[in-house]
Amino acid sequence: MTSTTPSRSGTSGEVAEGLVLFTAVMLVIAGILDICRGIMAIAKDDIFVVTPGYVFKFDLAGWGWIHLILGVIALAAGIGLFKAQAWARVLGIVVATLLIITNFLSLPYTPVWAILAIAFCVFVIWGLCVAGRDSFVDAAPRKP
């Protein structure tokens, strides 16, 4: 009697590289969404619904600048992840955490968009925490 074991088509290194690529794409998408959201709030803040009596009430243009700056940083971290930079992993986790907090605080202004951005950032944090350190060290270009 022969036993067959299921073969895996990819190694763990390939899976980790794929996860890092997925995370980089998600971080770039989250950054672009926040950049667009920031520009909308800065350019025309009267399009957002203002919730009266909201505890974390800020000027919407102020929220716009916060989202714009964090979006640019997220975009830079995502590009760094495409290049397998270790600093981009740490920056990606930090900026995704800050984006979750800012999107949570601005939920009353744009609830659907904020929830979508929070979901992207949760996937980013998960992907960056699950991918091992080796996926960044092995993927980095080596000098001859």
Side-chain angles (χ1 to χ4, degrees), residues 43-65:
K44 198 165 192 173
D45 63 349
D46 59 345
I47 63 170
F48 292 101
V49 176
V50 178
T51 306
Y54 184 50
V55 176
F56 303 108
K57 187 176 182 180
F58 290 101
D59 178 40
L60 287 177
W63 276 119
W65 281 107

Side-chain angles (χ1 to χ4, degrees), residues 57-129:
K57 187 176 182 180
F58 290 101
D59 178 40
L60 287 177
W63 276 119
W65 281 107
I66 291 169
H67 284 285
L68 181 66
I69 292 167
L70 287 176
V72 169
I73 295 170
L75 191 60
I79 292 169
L81 286 173
F82 281 120
K83 296 180 180 183
Q85 300 293 319
W87 61 264
R89 181 180 187 178
V90 174
L91 184 62
I93 293 171
V94 169
V95 77
T97 303
L98 292 173
L99 284 172
I100 288 174
I101 293 168
T102 57
N103 281 298
F104 176 76
L105 293 176
S106 62
L107 260 170
Y109 303 115
T110 54
V112 175
W113 194 323
I115 291 171
L116 179 67
I118 289 171
F120 279 167
C121 292
V122 166
F123 280 121
V124 166
I125 293 171
W126 173 78
L128 291 175
C129 290

Side-chain angles (χ1 to χ4, degrees), residues 1 33 37 48 64 90 99 101 117 121 133 137-138:
M1 177 175 199
L33 285 176
R37 184 176 184 184
F48 292 101
V90 174
L99 284 172
I101 293 168
C121 292
R133 183 180 184 276
V137 174
D138 293 340

